[in-house]
Amino acid sequence: MDVNAAVAAAAAIAGLCTGVIAMLAFRWSERDQARPTRTSLHTDAVLPPGVDTVLSVLRSSAVVLDESDSVVKASSAAYALGLVRGGKLAVEPMLHMARDTRRDGEIRQVELDLPRRGTGRGEALAVSARVAPLGSRLVLLLVEDLTEARRIEAVRRDFVANVSHELKTPVGALSLLSEAVMDASDDPEAVERFAGRMQIEATRLTNLVQELIDLSRVQNDDPLEDAEPVRVDELVAEAIDRSRHPASTKQITMAAGGTADLHIWGHRGQLAAALGNLVENAVNYSPSRTRVGISARRVSAPGGDLIEIAVTDQGIGISEKDRERVFERFYRVDPARSRATGGTGLGLAIVKHVAASHGGEVTVWSSEGQGSTFTLRLPEAGAVRDRSSTGPDRVDEDDDRPYDTDPNSEIPAPEVLP
């Protein structure tokens, strides 16, 4: 019995020691977890109350640095711009600004051009950086991307310069021609010749002003406010009628074909102007005794059916380097021919804006010396379409080949209009 009592007492003492040791280990673990680590010193805990919330809603890229230039907090935009790498501020000029601000407490601001990250392009990223002290130990860096704003400003400057040049040309010509008419007042033939030239320059000036108005309207107006189902057949007929006289003068045959009874949802006036510009360009840039074709079809797309209207010519074609710029305002592939035909360089820019504002696009296929195909792709007005989705006139969405890429090919079911 004494042996059993001794064993029981020893077991009790051992259990008590084990419990004490376990309790001490648990307490030590809690203290160790509560102790601030090196990582936690550089997280949100060191930021003043509310700063983290404010930084999360700022549009600018935000970076907070501590006294050792380590990044305490950085927004996702700062990482996307490449400002922060490996927990450090990667832009040396901004780092120098932060150190100067930490030393004297003054707010600093500078505009910089930074290389784009992960691209082989030479264009720079324009940013505006502003540094300010945040408390006694931290420095706040706010960076705003100015690249798009600079691009828009450059486009505006170019537009104003181009408009000034384009307006001065016919105005100057009219001034000189009027002086010539006055000097040749006693020569009826000279007066008649100069008056004819004045009419040409006046027409050019009128067209330029009208296209500037049209471009401004399609940029500022919302076409869907006055949207309606528009018959594609009527748009094609109107575009052909608009270019009938210059086409007949050059003995150009215009043929309309494709799927009949298609509808587009949009602003009728803008759609007519866009298609009219494409047909007019095709006629102006085509040699005599050639052919211009206008064809329409329905294509399938993930977001709904689209209507494609293609205008094909047998003109001079467009080189690959010019193909990317033909939709720029005042850009001309052949300036000499544009002057001869009275072109303003705004027609395709208007087409691009109309297509974009209607939720579509305009593309170009071209081969030098063979011709070009401009294709308008716009959403269909499905509410007025009563044909089956499996009708024979549907085209698979993977068929992205341009219409009539061979200028000698035939458009289905053409309606020849001399």
Side-chain angles (χ1 to χ4, degrees), residues 293-345:
I294 305 98
S295 183
R297 66 174 181 174
R298 179 186 297 113
V299 296
S300 298
D305 289 349
L306 300 174
I307 302 299
E308 285 188 351
I309 308 174
V311 179
T312 303
D313 62 59
Q314 296 172 296
I316 61 176
I318 306 172
S319 65
E320 186 175 355
K321 67 180 181 65
D322 291 324
R323 221 169 292 160
E324 298 178 356
R325 302 191 59 192
V326 291
F327 296 104
E328 294 180 12
R329 291 171 288 190
F330 295 109
Y331 186 80
R332 296 180 175 91
V333 174
D334 186 351
R337 177 165 296 201
S338 294
R339 296 292 184 188
T341 59
T344 63

Side-chain angles (χ1 to χ4, degrees), residues 231-249:
R231 287 179 57 90
V232 176
D233 296 340
E234 295 178 358
L235 294 178
V236 172
E238 187 174 335
I240 290 177
D241 187 64
R242 170 177 166 178
S243 299
R244 187 186 304 274
H245 177 68
S248 61
T249 301

Side-chain angles (χ1 to χ4, degrees), residues 20-195:
V20 171
I21 293 173
M23 182 176 294
L24 291 175
F26 178 74
R27 294 294 186 185
W28 183 267
S29 175
E30 283 187 336
R31 289 182 57 189
D32 188 63
Q33 291 180 1
R35 183 183 303 162
T37 63
R38 182 179 178 183
T39 303
S40 65
L41 289 174
H42 300 285
T43 57
D44 298 346
V46 300
L47 292 177
V51 171
D52 189 19
T53 304
V54 173
L55 295 181
S56 64
V57 299
L58 287 177
R59 296 180 59 183
S60 305
S61 303
V63 180
V64 178
L65 304 175
D66 62 10
E67 65 273 10
S68 62
D69 293 332
S70 296
V71 175
V72 176
K73 179 74 176 179
S75 63
S76 57
Y79 287 98
L81 290 178
L83 303 179
V84 179
R85 297 176 191 172
K88 295 288 185 179
L89 186 62
V91 183
E92 198 67 25
M94 296 182 186
L95 189 58
H96 290 316
M97 288 175 57
R99 291 169 179 170
D100 294 340
T101 296
R102 185 184 300 111
R103 185 180 61 253
D104 55 26
E106 292 186 5
I107 297 175
R108 289 175 169 81
Q109 184 169 355
V110 68
E111 292 188 2
L112 301 171
D113 291 332
L114 307 178
R116 284 187 180 271
R117 211 179 148 195
T119 64
R121 296 177 295 179
E123 57 190 50
L125 189 70
V127 298
S128 174
R130 185 179 179 87
V131 181
L134 185 63
S136 59
R137 299 171 48 242
L138 305 180
V139 173
L140 172 62
L141 173 67
L142 296 177
V143 180
E144 185 176 357
D145 187 358
L146 303 178
T147 308
E148 184 65 15
R150 284 192 179 181
R151 187 193 68 80
I152 293 175
E153 184 60 29
V155 169
R156 288 176 179 172
R157 285 198 305 267
D158 292 342
F159 180 71
V160 172
N162 288 328
V163 167
S164 301
H165 174 74
E166 296 294 334
L167 288 175
K168 284 166 64 177
T169 301
V171 170
L174 287 172
S175 177
L176 292 175
L177 288 170
S178 63
E179 293 179 4
V181 168
M182 293 177 63
D183 294 339
S185 57
D186 54 349
D187 186 351
E189 293 183 1
V191 170
E192 184 177 356
R193 184 172 67 254
F194 290 142

Side-chain angles (χ1 to χ4, degrees), residues 232 236 239-240 255-259 262 264 275 278-279 282 291-298 307-313 361-365 372-378 400-405 411-412:
V232 176
V236 172
I240 290 177
T259 306
L262 298 176
I264 298 173
L275 184 58
L278 291 180
V279 175
R291 181 172 176 271
V292 171
I294 305 98
S295 183
R297 66 174 181 174
R298 179 186 297 113
I307 302 299
E308 285 188 351
I309 308 174
V311 179
T312 303
D313 62 59
E361 63 176 352
V362 57
T363 58
V364 57
W365 173 94
S372 305
T373 297
F374 286 85
T375 303
L376 264 176
R377 178 178 287 194
L378 300 165
D400 290 330
R401 295 170 296 174
Y403 296 87
D404 216 11
T405 54
I411 293 179

